[in-house]
Amino acid sequence: MPFLPSTLQGRTKLFVAIVCAMSLLAVFMIWMAGQSVGRERAAVDRQIEFRQLGQDLAAASDYLTNQARLYAVTGNREHHENYWREVEETQTRDKVVERLRELNAPQAELELIQQAQESSNGLVETEDQAMAAVAEGDMDLARSLMFGENYDSQKARIMDYVAQFQQMMNERAAAEAATARDQARLLLNTGQLMVVVLAGLMVAVLVFFFSRRVVRPVAGLSQTVRRLIDGDHAAEILPGPQGRDRRTGRRHAAVQGRDARTRTPGG
């Protein structure tokens, strides 16, 4: 082949360089696959966390509604305290929004949360009125406020925003996890293919050099020896691909010397 060096030494260097390059490339691909697997796991973890945040947001809204309604029905101060503890201390909704910002959630998702918050503010006003009615002993007003159509429509609007947020977030997180998984699979398969190709190349190199270094010289030497034994004094031990090596040269000199003595009278 025109692109191959003409000498065996040059070909040896070329094949060694190719093997080293393939080895480094295989190691790099396997390392990249490992990195991609790590990104896939991180994406799956993010997907799980995003889903949990959506569930926490919905649960917090339902919790406030339930505590306000229970207070309107029973007048038990425990429900009143639970309600305001969630609003003023636990603050699940605010923590969810803060965590979403830390995770770099898209602006479209944050806008849905903002719309839910704005609708929730109107709901809080109704709940405040109902709690004030309970404090004044007007349980009928409190119940009508908490179980009326206006409250239900406001609550449904909030939950609709939350549901849209959950759907958008889950679809995005699932897409991110799928992309990371596909990249990891591609890199891993490529790395495995590189290892197989490298193994095949190394076997081919070993076969090539064994053939050139051992099989051909031995076969050529055997053929020449047979010709000399048969009386063909013109036979010569030809040099190898790189020129005569030292042992072949010594054998050649010995055979040629013996042949000269045979042809010399009185030798």
Side-chain angles (χ1 to χ4, degrees):
M1 298 182 194
F3 62 88
L4 287 177
S6 59
T7 64
L8 184 59
Q9 182 179 7
R11 294 183 181 184
T12 302
K13 292 180 179 180
L14 175 62
F15 283 127
V16 169
I18 292 174
V19 169
C20 291
M22 292 285 289
S23 300
L24 292 175
L25 184 58
V27 171
F28 175 74
M29 294 300 296
I30 293 174
W31 178 79
M32 287 293 293
Q35 295 294 312
S36 187
V37 168
R39 289 193 294 271
E40 177 193 359
R41 292 174 180 171
V44 171
D45 291 340
R46 281 168 55 89
Q47 180 184 10
I48 294 173
E49 183 174 6
F50 276 126
R51 183 181 295 114
Q52 185 60 51
L53 289 172
Q55 293 173 352
D56 291 345
L57 189 64
S61 179
D62 289 338
Y63 180 79
L64 290 175
T65 294
N66 292 336
Q67 293 302 312
R69 282 179 167 175
L70 286 170
Y71 183 56
V73 171
T74 65
N76 188 335
R77 291 286 301 178
E78 179 180 358
H79 301 300
H80 180 275
E81 293 171 359
N82 290 340
Y83 177 93
W84 287 109
R85 185 181 300 112
E86 169 62 31
V87 172
E88 297 176 350
E89 298 178 14
T90 308
Q91 298 180 338
T92 301
R93 184 184 66 180
D94 295 338
K95 291 179 180 178
V96 167
V97 174
E98 180 181 359
R99 181 56 181 160
L100 287 172
R101 295 185 188 279
E102 292 175 356
L103 293 173
N104 296 320
Q107 185 61 33
E109 295 176 10
L110 295 176
E111 288 176 357
L112 286 172
I113 298 299
Q114 182 64 33
Q115 291 174 335
Q117 286 179 323
E118 293 173 357
S119 298
S120 180
N121 292 335
L123 204 63
V124 170
E125 294 179 3
T126 302
E127 291 165 348
D128 283 341
Q129 294 175 6
M131 291 179 185
V134 172
E136 296 173 359
D138 193 346
M139 302 298 291
D140 291 336
L141 177 59
R143 292 166 187 167
S144 65
L145 289 170
M146 291 304 303
F147 292 93
E149 293 182 0
N150 181 55
Y151 187 90
D152 288 340
S153 63
Q154 289 179 312
K155 174 67 176 177
R157 188 181 303 111
I158 293 172
M159 297 310 296
D160 181 60
Y161 287 132
V162 172
Q164 291 181 48
F165 161 75
Q166 288 178 314
Q167 181 179 0
M168 184 181 297
M169 177 186 60
N170 289 335
E171 290 177 353
R172 174 183 57 80
E176 290 177 354
T179 300
R181 182 167 53 253
D182 292 342
Q183 290 177 348
R185 185 180 296 112
L186 175 61
L187 289 172
L188 184 60
N189 291 340
T190 304
Q192 292 174 343
L193 178 61
M194 291 295 298
V195 171
V196 172
V197 172
L198 178 61
L201 181 60
M202 292 182 68
V203 170
V205 169
L206 290 175
V207 170
F208 172 79
F209 285 110
F210 182 78
S211 174
R212 296 298 299 272
R213 291 280 192 174
V214 179
V215 177
R216 289 186 182 181
V218 170
L221 180 61
S222 299
Q223 183 179 6
T224 302
V225 170
R226 283 196 300 270
R227 290 175 61 189
L228 290 172
I229 293 174
D230 293 339
D232 184 1
H233 301 295
E236 295 184 356
I237 301 177
L238 298 177
Q242 292 179 292
R244 294 190 184 95
D245 61 18
R246 293 177 182 176
R247 288 178 298 177
T248 303
R250 286 197 296 268
R251 292 193 186 111
H252 178 266
V255 172
Q256 295 296 331
R258 186 182 64 184
D259 180 57
R261 290 194 298 273
T262 302
R263 292 195 299 266
T264 300

